[in-house]
Amino acid sequence: GLSFDESIRLFLSGFRLPGEAQKIDRIMEKFAERFTRQNTDVFPSADTAFILAFSVIMLNTDLHNPSIKPERRMTLESFIRNNKGISVDGGDLPEDFLTGIFNRIKEKPFSLKEDDEAREKVSKESSRDMFESLFVFEGPFGSSAEDRKREKFRKEREEMMAASEQMFKKRPSKNMSSRKLNLDSSTQLTDSVSPADVVKPMFDVTWGPLIGTLSQVLESSTNETSIALCLSGFVYSIRLASHSGMSLARNTFVNSLAKFTTLGSIKEMKSKNIECIRTLLSIAIIDGEYLGDSWSPILQCISQLGRLHLFASGLDSEDQFLQVGSPQLTKISEAAREMEENNGKAVLAAVNEVLIDKVFSSSVTLSARGIVNFIDQLVAVSEAEISGDTKRGISGVSASGGTKGMQGKITTSGHGIEGPRIFSLQRLVEVADYNMDIRPRLTWSQIWENMGNHFAKVGCNENAMVSMFAIDALRQLSFKFLEKPELTDFNFQRLFLKPFLLIMENPGSREDIRELVLRCVDNIIRSLAHNLRSGWKIFFSILTLSASDPSAKIKTLGLAILQRLLDEHLDELCRLSGNVEDVDLPKDLDTDQEQPLSSLQKRQRNANADDFVGLCKASLSFVQTEKAENPLPIGLSMRALCHTACYADIIAEKRVLPPVSGFQSTDPSLSGYTYTGLSDDEALEMAIWRPLLDGLAAGICSSAPSSSGGVGCLVQRGSVMALRAILLRHGRLFSVPQWAAILSYVILPAIQIGAENDCSPVNKISSESPSVSSLDFIGEPLSLPPLCDDEGLKKFSAMAQSDESSPSRPLGTAELLVEASFADLRHGGDGNLSKAYRLKKKDVEKRMVHLQPFPDSWIATTAPIALGILSDLVHVNFLLLGDRARDVLWPIISKQLSRWTVGSLLHQSQVDVSGSDHENGKKSLTNVEWQPCEAIVRIACKEWCRVYQSVLSGTAILDKTLLRSWLKTLNKDLSDIINQNIHVEEKLRNDIVESKLASIERQNAVRRGNMENDEPLPRMTHLDLLPKLKSRCIAAHCLQQYISSFVNELAPYIDEDATSHLVDALCTSKLASRDARQDEDLAHAFQEAFFEQWGDGVEEVEAALRGVSASGTGHRGSSQMFFLTQEASATKATVILLSLLYCQNHGEDIDPDSWDAESYAEPVLMRSIMDVLTEFLASEVKDGVFVDPNVWRSASESGGQVAFYCTSFAGVVVHILEAIHGLEREKFERHKESLFPMLCSLVCVQSDEIRQWVSSIFTKQIGPLIGVMEESQ
């Protein structure tokens, strides 16, 4: 509950901070971790608390150190400026928060508890002495003043002796060099007297003439004593300038001394030049703390020393090895080479290489500011080396100022051609290695920011050898850094590993470099996955980038790393508690109730969930969702889809837990992205599910082609299969509101977008008859998968684990189902996953794969299984959720089925697509009127049937009340769909006729000259509207046909209201279709469309019309063919339903008191029977002569052959006769007077099937009435 500064005050009140920076770093790191853990709402990250803690300590020192002048102390504005951007993602802390800290520390400094006690003791003693000086007590009640003085003297002597003893112990040993002693004394002198106050004014006046004198003498003299004096002058001048903060003077002296080394030119090196080199190295070691940007010429000289040492050893410089180009461009003259070798030998003999190494190893003694300056200059020299410009600071000539030679190479004055060198880059790696473990994390993060950016830049260098060295150095440093586990709530790993990500993001990086980065990531994960914390985010981002890489090799390697992650490091990825240090978890020994999570556990839960979401997105990035110039191999996308099932299994097994706070539904790129309309707990649970579900939804409606071997839309179908497997295996985990979100935001938008985006010819295919489909190539929905304990799936799992290309770990339930489904799809199986283990790779060539005529059509390949998910979910999940699922979930499904059956006005809906070009990464549906094509209509109608079958198959798990309520809801919705479809059909019919008449009127007006030919035509003509009308007719026919298929199971559970609604809808369809088939204007419109389709060829038209009526209205594609078929299917469904109700036997499944089904069905049924038989007989007499006898071979198949009433209703007559045959004797006798004449007339029809049924009826029903028993027949 304490404020931040008061917490530090309390923390530091019990001990004194040590002098070593590394110890201070660890202490404040622990403080920041503990404070963030106990105060979750103050800072978003322990990094912020860590940085601010250091800043507060510096503020306390600056405000209350007496050696700092008041005018130079930190102000409030400076304190706020120093703490800019220390919050998460570069944000700022509240200004009033920082102001409060500043004011409280300014008012009251930090102090140790023992210091406070000492001050209090001194105050008390001084008060007592003052009191005793006024009143002197002697005798037995007190001691004399002399005794008290003696006692005080004794204590002071003891304290002085103890202090002296400590000073002797700290005295330098005898073997310490005199230089060290002098340095200490000079440091003490510096601490006591500021050079800026004493020396600076004098030196500021004299340094100009001084450097001129020293340079002149050093240039011209050969006397060793004079040279030594000059070099001493340089040393002291540089030291004075450095300590006085005179950067111009310091830089001038250092640059001048560097030029006297002659390392920037190729000429013979004298002894004084070598002495200059030794002096320069000595300055770097002793005065490095104060050199600042003067390090640059020193490091350039050291770089050239390294080059000379190689020449002295008889080796070429590394620029000769690293130079890319022709050999003649990399050679120097023999004389220059000999000169370089001689100089190198002279330097090697006089300058020990250990001295050079000490310059870099001594960097550990530099202060935070000193090491930052040193690193900055070393990075700058490294950049110059790599660019071939290493002598600019010590020769006065830049490579850029030279002349361009062959192939654009730059030649410097007198130095030949320079190539890239990595001497300083190597030294940079050494410096990083020296300082990594001893520097405070705050200081190290500042150092690494510059170094990391440099490594990232060099890693993208056009020279392969240079870039590979940089990445390998990064790898080695990363291994060392990651050996130390990261504390909770810190992000140092993410900062350290960021250069790898920068290299992958750089568009100029080469393929081999990106591959090397992935190899490094792979090696780190294999060796140090147990220590990774915040570094996972960088690795997941790198793997995500590899999915969009132009190179297929990089893509394959990226997914292989992900696969190995799942196979070998799943435990590290699925840690539940993380690295909990020094935390006593709350326990309730008296009850079994779960105790509230601590703030640390909550933060770790959120971090783990965020990492898991990053992993999911990395895998989903390998699922191709958009067209691309370099598409992903289909095999990679299919393997990534298997990963999604694995992640679902992990969530279901609670190996990864949802976050405990921070959910939102606005920005997919932020943590906690979930669905709206849920409770807090439900929303948090969906935060780890949504990335998976949205990614699969994007795969379902992918616009990328994914055909292979004649099998199309593999990614789209694979996404459907993966989503289906996850929802069927783990659907029990979701509540009704969560299911509503999944349907509304995932499944239904995905399949709608997929249908909308399909521009294949399948959209325009139209059948010539509702009963004879031209779309037989459309796929079928998948059958329900076997149970988890199915023996066939167990065999497949065992076989998969033995396969080298499959994971060696045990497969989860959803992952196993996806693997089996993909094996069945890949090997051309029959959909029976219990036998998937038989589909071995060696038999693939022998297996027949059915090629699809439209492999790239989403509607033909994916739509059936995508929409089929709905009936599967009803059967497996929704029925078990009871009335609430029926009331909440079914309306959502029914709306989509209605949209695909009848069409609708599309509302704005979106599906998340990671990495797409759409705004906010979403695919959207436009708000326009949408009418489904015939293929979609047929798929939707079949799904209506499957939903009914799913509910009717639930008799074993549902009680009768719930089953009846489900069926009542389905019947009402289906009746509404039929009525809605008929309404649209009638409107389209009227529009077609009006458009046709308007077209005729327009043509007549043109002939009369009342209208110009170039008048604009209407947006939609009657020929454009005809396909939509045909789709409505087909929708009505298919629904009515499917009702006939399941009405036997439905009849025992249907009530009076549902029956009335359904029968009324069927009668409405029958009457509407009758009116349509009798509409002559509509018939002419259909005929015109027919001729438009066939063109002007007389022979083709005659062939199409051959064998039909003279008017041509009986051919396929005519209005008679469509609407007779619709009328027949409506009548058939009505007859079957009513006959079942009229003839049913009341058993235990029927409640006899519910309603009188027999009385309801009898009049409607008999009226329908008489109407059909009467018109059938009339049509048979009138039109039967025009019908080929072969058409009558099977009455059930004759409806799609010729458009006559007698052929279209032959199947209906068969069902009527079947119903009459099944009537009880009493019921038949009740209607014998009306039925007998019709039966007698049916004896003469051409259909053998009808005559056989009539004969059977006479035998069973008529025979007993006239005394002829069946046995005697």
Side-chain angles (χ1 to χ4, degrees):
L2 295 176
S3 63
F4 184 71
D5 54 301
E6 291 300 323
S7 299
I8 298 179
R9 190 186 305 278
L10 177 63
F11 181 63
L12 297 179
S13 64
F15 68 97
R16 194 181 302 277
L17 283 175
E20 296 183 27
Q22 189 178 10
K23 291 182 180 180
I24 298 176
D25 178 64
R26 293 294 293 173
I27 291 172
M28 300 314 296
E29 194 174 41
K30 277 296 182 180
F31 167 79
E33 179 188 9
R34 185 58 61 94
F35 181 86
T36 309
R37 182 188 308 166
Q38 296 178 353
N39 301 270
T40 57
D41 300 331
V42 179
F43 299 116
S45 169
D47 288 337
T48 304
F50 179 61
I51 297 172
L52 186 59
F54 268 101
S55 181
V56 167
I57 293 174
M58 292 172 60
L59 173 66
N60 180 77
T61 304
D62 195 84
L63 291 179
H64 301 289
N65 191 340
S67 63
I68 300 178
K69 295 181 179 180
E71 63 272 12
R72 301 186 62 181
R73 288 177 180 172
M74 189 180 300
T75 62
L76 175 60
E77 292 74 16
S78 301
F79 179 67
I80 294 175
R81 185 172 58 253
N82 292 342
N83 292 286
K84 285 281 188 182
I86 66 173
S87 190
V88 175
D89 297 328
D92 295 335
L93 293 175
E95 190 169 324
D96 54 348
F97 176 76
L98 296 176
T99 302
I101 293 177
F102 181 89
N103 292 334
R104 287 190 292 271
I105 294 177
K106 183 177 182 181
E107 181 180 351
K108 183 180 179 182
F110 295 160
S111 60
L112 289 173
K113 185 177 180 181
E114 60 189 55
D115 294 339
D116 295 336
E117 292 175 351
R119 280 191 290 269
E120 184 178 357
K121 181 179 178 181
V122 170
S123 176
K124 290 180 179 179
E125 289 181 352
S126 61
S127 300
R128 188 178 63 186
D129 292 342
M130 184 181 298
F131 180 77
E132 290 174 351
S133 64
L134 297 175
F135 304 96
V136 179
F137 294 93
E138 295 183 0
F141 299 101
S143 57
S144 64
E146 191 68 27
D147 293 336
R148 288 193 297 273
K149 290 180 180 180
R150 192 180 298 110
E151 180 65 19
K152 187 179 295 186
F153 175 75
R154 184 183 65 80
K155 289 182 178 180
E156 290 180 358
R157 185 182 61 184
E158 291 178 354
E159 291 176 359
M160 292 175 63
M161 292 179 64
S164 301
E165 184 178 357
Q166 291 296 325
M167 292 179 64
F168 276 110
K169 289 181 178 180
K170 293 181 179 180
R171 188 178 59 180
S173 58
K174 294 181 179 180
N175 55 359
M176 180 177 292
S177 63
S178 59
R179 177 177 295 180
K180 178 69 175 178
L181 293 174
N182 293 335
L183 178 61
D184 292 343
S185 60
S186 64
T187 303
Q188 294 171 5
L189 178 61
T190 302
D191 292 339
S192 60
V193 180
S194 175
D197 297 333
V198 179
V199 181
K200 183 176 179 179
M202 295 184 292
F203 187 69
D204 190 31
V205 176
T206 59
W207 76 266
L210 180 60
I211 191 174
T213 303
L214 295 176
S215 299
Q216 180 65 30
V217 174
L218 187 60
E219 175 71 25
S220 59
S221 177
T222 58
N223 183 273
E224 294 183 0
T225 303
S226 300
I227 293 173
L229 288 174
C230 288
L231 293 178
S232 297
F234 270 100
V235 170
Y236 292 126
S237 297
I238 292 172
R239 187 168 298 163
L240 285 173
S242 299
H243 285 261
S244 301
M246 302 172 64
S247 58
L248 177 61
R250 180 197 63 208
N251 293 341
T252 305
F253 276 102
V254 172
N255 285 326
S256 178
L257 184 59
K259 288 181 175 60
F260 279 116
T261 63
T262 67
L263 288 171
S265 59
I266 302 178
K267 61 182 180 180
E268 183 179 0
M269 194 172 287
K270 301 177 181 178
S271 60
K272 66 179 178 180
N273 302 125
I274 297 177
E275 286 302 318
C276 289
I277 295 174
R278 292 168 57 89
T279 303
L280 202 62
L281 293 178
S282 175
I283 292 171
I285 296 171
I286 298 174
D287 298 301
E289 173 65 31
Y290 306 99
L291 286 177
D293 53 2
S294 296
W295 271 111
S296 180
I298 296 175
L299 292 173
Q300 289 186 60
C301 288
I302 294 175
S303 172
Q304 294 302 314
L305 281 177
R307 188 168 179 268
L308 289 180
H309 279 185
L310 290 176
F311 280 117
S313 303
L315 304 174
D316 282 331
S317 175
E318 72 266 35
D319 59 343
Q320 307 294 316
F321 176 69
L322 297 173
Q323 176 66 42
V324 179
S326 302
Q328 64 269 22
L329 294 177
T330 63
K331 294 201 174 190
I332 61 177
S333 65
E334 291 296 330
R337 170 69 188 228
E338 184 178 358
M339 182 76 68
E340 294 273 25
E341 289 183 2
N342 293 334
N343 289 341
K345 291 177 181 178
V347 171
L348 186 61
V351 180
N352 195 333
E353 195 169 359
V354 176
L355 195 62
I356 299 176
D357 295 336
K358 192 173 181 180
V359 173
F360 299 98
S361 62
S362 298
S363 62
V364 297
T365 63
L366 299 176
S367 65
R369 180 176 297 178
I371 187 64
V372 169
N373 291 331
F374 178 72
I375 293 296
D376 289 346
Q377 298 307 315
L378 185 56
V379 166
V381 173
S382 176
E383 290 178 348
E385 281 185 351
I386 293 170
S387 63
D389 190 11
T390 60
K391 300 178 181 179
R392 176 176 50 191
I394 54 178
S395 66
V397 179
S398 172
S400 60
T403 59
K404 288 190 176 182
M406 299 174 60
Q407 297 185 6
K409 297 293 179 181
I410 297 175
T411 305
T412 58
S413 305
H415 300 305
I417 299 173
E418 293 188 7
R421 298 182 58 225
I422 57 173
F423 175 84
S424 295
L425 188 62
Q426 291 173 313
R427 295 299 187 175
L428 191 64
V429 175
E430 294 175 7
V431 172
D433 184 56
Y434 292 146
N435 289 269
M436 185 184 299
D437 290 335
I438 68 168
R439 293 289 177 182
R441 289 301 176 98
L442 180 61
T443 305
W444 174 250
S445 62
Q446 295 174 346
I447 296 172
W448 182 251
E449 183 177 2
N450 193 6
M451 292 178 66
N453 291 334
H454 179 61
F455 278 116
K457 181 179 179 181
V458 177
C460 299
N461 191 274
E462 61 181 5
N463 188 295
M465 300 296 293
V466 171
S467 56
M468 290 176 66
F469 176 83
I471 294 174
D472 186 64
L474 265 178
R475 179 188 62 82
Q476 296 179 43
L477 293 174
S478 299
F479 266 93
K480 181 173 182 180
F481 183 81
L482 293 174
E483 287 176 355
K484 182 180 179 182
E486 185 178 58
L487 295 179
T488 307
D489 289 334
F490 286 87
N491 296 303
F492 290 122
Q493 288 183 357
R494 185 169 58 182
L495 296 175
F496 192 91
L497 297 173
K498 190 177 180 181
F500 288 117
L501 179 60
L502 295 177
I503 294 173
M504 288 293 293
E505 290 176 337
N506 192 323
S509 60
R510 300 189 314 278
E511 178 183 343
D512 59 331
I513 293 305
R514 298 193 299 274
E515 180 184 357
L516 184 58
V517 169
L518 287 177
R519 299 287 184 190
C520 293
V521 171
D522 190 22
N523 290 337
I524 293 173
I525 292 175
R526 290 190 185 198
S527 304
L528 297 169
H530 58 281
N531 276 351
L532 283 174
R533 291 294 181 270
S534 63
W536 282 120
K537 289 183 175 63
I538 294 295
F539 287 165
F540 294 154
S541 299
I542 290 173
L543 295 175
T544 300
L545 287 173
S546 70
S548 58
D549 196 275
S551 169
K553 185 178 181 181
I554 300 297
K555 295 182 175 78
T556 304
L557 179 58
L559 189 67
I561 295 173
L562 271 173
Q563 185 66 50
R564 192 175 297 109
L565 260 176
L566 295 180
D567 294 345
E568 300 177 5
H569 303 287
L570 203 56
D571 292 336
E572 287 86 353
L573 290 171
C574 302
R575 59 189 186 275
L576 295 179
S577 58
N579 185 24
V580 185
E581 299 177 346
D582 304 328
V583 177
D584 296 327
L585 299 179
K587 297 180 181 179
D588 192 341
L589 302 179
D590 298 330
T591 64
D592 294 333
Q593 296 181 355
E594 295 184 2
Q595 297 299 305
L597 295 175
S598 66
S599 58
L600 172 63
Q601 290 172 313
K602 291 179 181 179
R603 206 163 14 252
Q604 287 179 335
R605 277 272 295 271
N606 290 347
N608 293 341
D610 199 25
D611 286 345
F612 179 76
V613 169
L615 175 62
C616 295
K617 290 181 178 180
S619 289
L620 286 167
S621 65
F622 287 89
V623 179
Q624 190 80 47
T625 59
E626 297 287 339
K627 292 182 180 179
E629 295 182 2
N630 301 288
L632 283 155
I634 296 176
L636 297 186
S637 293
M638 301 301 280
R639 177 49 51 190
L641 291 173
C642 293
H643 291 182
T644 63
C646 175
Y647 301 145
D649 291 331
I650 291 172
I651 299 174
E653 295 168 5
K654 295 187 177 180
R655 300 177 67 182
V656 168
L657 299 177
V660 294
S661 62
F663 64 88
Q664 51 90 23
S665 57
T666 56
D667 191 346
S669 63
L670 299 180
S671 303
Y673 185 54
T674 185
Y675 302 107
T676 58
L678 304 175
S679 67
D680 290 355
D681 290 340
E682 290 171 337
L684 289 169
E685 289 174 1
M686 296 308 293
I688 54 178
W689 279 106
R690 180 158 195 180
L692 283 178
L693 302 179
D694 285 351
L696 291 173
I700 291 173
C701 58
S702 171
S703 60
S706 56
S707 301
S708 177
V711 180
C713 292
L714 289 173
V715 171
Q716 293 84 344
R717 293 158 73 186
S719 299
V720 173
M721 292 176 178
L723 180 62
R724 178 175 180 265
I726 290 171
L727 296 180
L728 292 182
R729 286 297 191 237
H730 303 308
R732 67 186 185 281
L733 301 175
F734 303 120
S735 64
V736 171
Q738 288 171 331
W739 271 119
I742 292 172
L743 289 171
S744 302
Y745 293 100
V746 180
I747 301 176
L748 302 185
I751 62 178
Q752 187 63 39
I753 291 174
E756 281 287 296
N757 291 342
D758 189 346
C759 300
S760 67
V762 174
N763 283 284
K764 299 180 180 179
I765 295 179
S766 178
S767 301
E768 296 179 349
S769 168
S771 60
V772 181
S773 174
S774 300
L775 297 158
D776 295 335
F777 55 84
I778 293 178
E780 292 292 328
L782 299 176
S783 58
L784 283 172
L787 299 177
C788 297
D789 57 355
D790 181 75
E791 291 298 327
L793 284 180
K794 291 180 180 179
K795 292 181 180 179
F796 178 85
S797 178
M799 183 191 72
Q801 292 185 40
S802 62
D803 189 355
E804 294 181 357
S805 62
S806 298
S808 57
R809 54 182 168 76
L811 300 178
T813 55
E815 188 180 12
L816 176 58
L817 188 57
V818 172
E819 292 279 2
S821 300
F822 286 2
D824 182 81
L825 176 65
R826 183 170 58 249
H827 298 159
D830 57 1
N832 186 356
L833 301 186
S834 295
K835 299 180 180 179
Y837 66 92
R838 299 178 181 177
L839 304 175
K840 298 180 179 179
K841 289 186 176 180
K842 63 182 180 181
D843 299 330
V844 173
E845 296 181 358
K846 303 177 183 178
R847 199 173 304 280
M848 295 294 296
V849 177
H850 299 288
L851 301 181
Q852 297 164 332
F854 300 98
D856 292 327
S857 170
W858 189 92
I859 295 174
T861 58
T862 311
I865 59 175
L867 199 66
I869 293 180
L870 301 180
S871 56
D872 294 337
L873 293 178
V874 170
H875 178 82
V876 176
N877 295 302
F878 297 167
L879 293 179
L880 300 177
L881 295 175
D883 291 334
R884 196 176 179 203
R886 184 198 67 226
D887 297 337
V888 176
L889 303 181
W890 170 248
I892 301 174
I893 297 176
S894 176
K895 184 178 179 181
Q896 181 64 31
L897 293 178
S898 171
R899 180 179 295 172
W900 274 38
T901 306
V902 182
S904 67
L905 184 69
L906 282 182
H907 300 287
Q908 188 75 11
S909 59
Q910 297 178 326
V911 172
D912 289 332
V913 181
S914 176
S916 72
D917 295 331
H918 296 268
E919 184 179 359
N920 297 326
K922 296 176 183 291
K923 285 185 176 179
S924 301
L925 298 176
T926 54
N927 194 24
V928 296
E929 184 181 0
W930 179 75
Q931 291 293 327
C933 64
E934 180 185 336
I936 290 179
V937 168
R938 291 184 180 275
I939 293 169
C941 293
K942 179 177 290 187
E943 189 62 15
W944 272 105
C945 178
R946 295 181 79 241
V947 169
Y948 265 95
Q949 292 171 347
S950 298
V951 175
L952 290 169
S953 64
T955 53
I957 59 175
L958 298 178
D959 60 74
K960 296 177 183 178
T961 303
L962 183 57
L963 179 61
R964 286 194 175 98
S965 66
W966 264 98
L967 291 174
K968 182 177 181 179
T969 303
L970 292 180
N971 290 332
K972 181 182 181 303
D973 289 346
L974 182 58
S975 302
D976 292 342
I977 289 297
I978 295 175
N979 286 325
Q980 182 182 352
N981 184 72
I982 297 305
H983 175 74
V984 175
E985 181 182 294
E986 290 181 333
K987 183 178 184 303
L988 285 170
R989 178 162 64 90
N990 294 331
D991 291 344
I992 289 172
V993 172
E994 291 177 2
S995 177
K996 173 63 178 173
L997 295 177
S999 175
I1000 295 174
E1001 181 64 27
R1002 191 181 303 106
Q1003 292 174 3
N1004 293 334
V1006 171
R1007 292 193 193 100
R1008 293 193 301 266
N1010 297 333
M1011 182 180 294
E1012 298 294 335
N1013 277 324
D1014 56 355
E1015 286 277 339
L1017 296 176
R1019 186 175 61 88
M1020 295 287 288
T1021 67
H1022 61 284
L1023 296 179
D1024 298 325
L1025 295 173
L1026 273 177
K1028 298 182 178 181
L1029 179 62
K1030 291 180 179 180
S1031 294
R1032 297 302 98 237
C1033 182
I1034 291 172
H1037 168 73
C1038 291
L1039 288 176
Q1040 293 156 182
Q1041 280 289 93
Y1042 286 125
I1043 290 175
S1044 302
S1045 67
F1046 59 74
V1047 72
N1048 286 327
E1049 294 82 10
L1050 175 64
Y1053 303 101
I1054 195 169
D1055 61 10
E1056 184 175 7
D1057 290 339
T1059 303
S1060 177
H1061 281 107
L1062 191 56
V1063 171
D1064 290 345
L1066 293 172
C1067 290
T1068 302
S1069 176
K1070 180 173 64 175
L1071 294 175
S1073 57
R1074 179 179 297 177
D1075 293 341
R1077 70 178 170 86
Q1078 294 174 353
D1079 191 331
E1080 292 294 332
D1081 292 328
L1082 185 65
H1084 286 112
F1086 268 77
Q1087 193 170 11
E1088 183 181 350
F1090 174 80
F1091 286 115
E1092 182 78 15
Q1093 177 183 0
W1094 285 93
D1096 298 330
V1098 177
E1099 295 181 358
E1100 290 82 357
V1101 175
E1102 289 181 350
L1105 298 178
R1106 188 178 298 121
V1108 300
S1109 64
S1111 66
T1113 59
H1115 62 78
R1116 289 186 180 182
S1118 67
S1119 62
Q1120 292 276 348
M1121 176 65 73
F1122 274 86
F1123 293 106
L1124 273 173
T1125 305
Q1126 177 185 341
E1127 183 183 355
S1129 60
T1131 306
K1132 176 183 174 182
T1134 305
V1135 168
I1136 294 177
L1137 175 59
L1138 293 175
S1139 63
L1140 288 171
L1141 295 175
Y1142 183 56
C1143 302
Q1144 66 184 355
N1145 296 319
H1146 298 300
E1148 60 178 1
D1149 291 336
I1150 305 299
D1151 184 2
D1153 298 328
S1154 59
W1155 68 298
D1156 190 356
E1158 182 179 329
S1159 299
Y1160 171 85
E1162 184 175 17
V1164 183
L1165 175 63
M1166 289 304 158
R1167 186 168 58 250
S1168 298
I1169 289 175
M1170 297 308 296
D1171 291 344
V1172 170
L1173 292 180
T1174 300
E1175 193 163 357
F1176 175 80
L1177 289 171
S1179 176
E1180 206 275 340
V1181 172
K1182 176 184 177 183
D1183 302 318
V1185 295
F1186 298 107
V1187 180
D1188 190 322
N1190 290 325
V1191 173
W1192 295 105
R1193 287 180 302 175
S1194 175
S1196 59
E1197 298 176 359
S1198 61
Q1201 302 294 320
V1202 185
F1204 295 128
Y1205 191 96
C1206 59
T1207 55
S1208 299
F1209 275 76
V1212 180
V1213 171
V1214 169
H1215 282 285
I1216 290 175
L1217 296 177
E1218 184 179 356
I1220 295 173
H1221 183 274
L1223 287 176
E1224 298 176 4
R1225 185 163 299 177
E1226 177 187 356
K1227 294 178 180 179
F1228 182 80
E1229 290 180 358
R1230 194 184 307 166
H1231 301 284
K1232 63 184 178 181
E1233 294 181 359
S1234 57
L1235 292 176
F1236 183 74
M1238 294 294 179
L1239 293 172
C1240 292
S1241 300
L1242 289 172
V1243 173
C1244 301
V1245 300
Q1246 298 185 54
S1247 172
D1248 293 337
E1249 187 176 4
I1250 292 176
R1251 292 199 303 270
Q1252 290 173 2
W1253 273 108
V1254 172
S1255 174
S1256 179
I1257 293 172
F1258 270 96
T1259 301
K1260 179 181 178 181
Q1261 303 287 8
I1262 305 297
L1265 294 179
I1266 61 177
V1268 180
M1269 303 303 295
E1270 186 175 356
E1271 290 78 13
S1272 63
Q1273 298 300 319

